[in-house]
Amino acid sequence: MPWLQIKLNTVREQAAKLEDALLDTGAVSVTLQDNADQPILEPGLGETPLWDQVRITGLFDADIDTRNTTEQITARFNQALPEHQWEQLEDKDWEREWMSNYHPICCGERLWICPSWLAPPEPDKVNILLDPGLAFGTGTHPTTFLCMQWLDGQTLDDLHLVDYGCGSGILGIAALKLGARKVVGVDIDPQALLATSDNAQRNQLAENAMPVFLPPQAPNEPVDIVLANILAGPLAELAPQLSALTRRDGKICLSGILATQADAVMAAYADNFVFDPVAQKDEWVRITGTKIR
């Protein structure tokens, strides 16, 4: 089925009003994109920030009258539309188009992340079956890749871990497949807990191998390794809690941190840990260390 789309260049203050106008006039979807290469790297909790310059795309059925629809959008917007243009959207098999963007990812000597619709390139290695979903963590982001790469280099046999901010569960699942005895998944988002449980089942892990909890209900006994791929601000705030979760001589792996934020995060943990050299991929870093007290 062919489609028509209208693209409009606007500013942050007008974006919500323009989005409502498109939806009210029959748009089947509305997409907002950065229109000035302005990254938003660490929004605050509960925030949904927008860029200063925004490109809005509204998708419509191909049988609409674009002139009439433009007039309707203008009336709903209640002022002259910003710079805009209509385009015909090529008809494609969008499911296959989306799937074509994901490929197996090698995260070290042993570890692969594989979409479920593709055969693992190296079936004898440790393969994590993981499809993109609502929860963060598919291996494509540098922070996840850095943590997976670190896990690949560890001896995890019979260890007990906590994956704090588990998202999709990818780190905990990888740890279990690399030999860990048990991983506790913790996240503030109930959707992430569901995703973790579903992905653990998809990877044929034992039913009780990775129990999941919201933070208030999570166990607090110290474990061998604590993984936390979150963001720099929460990592610094959680330093007392995550430090207490790590047993003496245990290890911690922290990511979701920009290179410019590494010193501040390390300072929050410095009283309890001796650090390894910081690993970096693009502008993101991974901090690992061993607990000394």
Side-chain angles (χ1 to χ4, degrees), residues 4-251:
L4 288 170
Q5 61 183 11
I6 184 172
K7 293 186 175 181
L8 307 101
N9 298 323
T10 189
V11 294
R12 179 179 56 221
E13 292 76 15
Q14 297 290 345
K17 185 178 179 182
L18 195 51
E19 179 184 8
D20 289 342
L22 291 168
L23 293 171
D24 289 345
T25 51
V28 296
S29 72
V30 178
T31 304
L32 282 69
Q33 297 173 287
D34 177 18
N35 203 27
D37 194 23
Q38 177 193 359
I40 298 175
L41 297 172
E42 189 171 349
L45 291 175
E47 293 181 3
T48 307
L50 281 178
W51 310 273
D52 293 335
Q53 301 295 322
V54 183
R55 164 70 64 86
I56 300 183
T57 302
L59 186 67
F60 290 82
D61 291 334
D63 57 359
I64 65 164
D65 182 319
T66 56
R67 181 174 180 179
N68 181 53
T69 301
T70 302
E71 291 175 353
Q72 292 181 42
I73 297 169
T74 304
R76 296 279 186 174
F77 191 50
N78 201 29
Q79 64 187 81
L81 291 184
E83 177 188 351
H84 61 278
Q85 63 180 13
W86 283 96
E87 298 176 350
Q88 185 169 1
L89 188 61
E90 180 185 354
D91 192 17
K92 296 182 179 180
D93 184 336
W94 291 107
E95 182 176 0
R96 290 187 178 277
E97 185 76 11
W98 168 78
M99 290 167 66
S100 69
N101 292 321
Y102 293 91
H103 308 281
I105 301 170
C106 180
C107 299
E109 294 295 324
R110 300 177 287 168
L111 197 55
W112 282 84
I113 308 165
C114 299
S116 63
W117 58 85
L118 294 175
E122 297 189 62
D124 295 335
K125 297 294 177 105
V126 178
N127 290 287
I128 313 300
L129 299 181
L130 195 78
D131 296 340
L134 294 177
F136 177 79
T138 62
T140 57
H141 194 278
T143 60
T144 308
F145 178 86
L146 286 166
C147 292
M148 295 286 281
Q149 192 177 51
W150 182 80
L151 284 170
D152 182 81
Q154 303 302 304
T155 300
L156 303 179
D157 294 346
D158 207 36
L159 297 187
H160 187 181
L161 290 77
V162 167
D163 182 359
Y164 205 99
C166 55
S168 68
I170 185 172
L171 300 183
I173 292 167
L176 289 164
K177 287 206 159 192
L178 289 167
R181 171 170 48 90
K182 183 178 180 180
V183 177
V184 171
V186 182
D187 207 291
I188 62 173
D189 183 1
Q191 184 68 46
L193 302 184
L194 289 173
T196 291
S197 296
D198 287 347
N199 286 325
Q201 184 177 12
R202 181 178 291 113
N203 281 272
Q204 299 181 331
L205 296 176
E207 186 175 349
N208 61 349
M210 191 171 180
V212 294
F213 302 90
L214 294 169
Q217 286 80 47
N220 56 14
E221 65 267 17
V223 298
D224 301 298
I225 296 177
V226 171
L227 309 167
N229 180 20
I230 317 177
L231 288 169
L235 285 174
E237 294 173 11
L238 288 166
Q241 185 174 344
L242 298 185
S243 298
L245 276 175
T246 312
R247 68 165 177 79
R248 188 183 178 94
D249 297 324
K251 297 181 179 181

Side-chain angles (χ1 to χ4, degrees), residues 276-291:
D276 306 315
V278 173
Q280 183 166 348
K281 182 175 174 60
D282 301 332
E283 70 265 43
W284 300 93
V285 299
R286 179 196 70 219
I287 296 170
T288 57
T290 303
K291 190 172 183 182

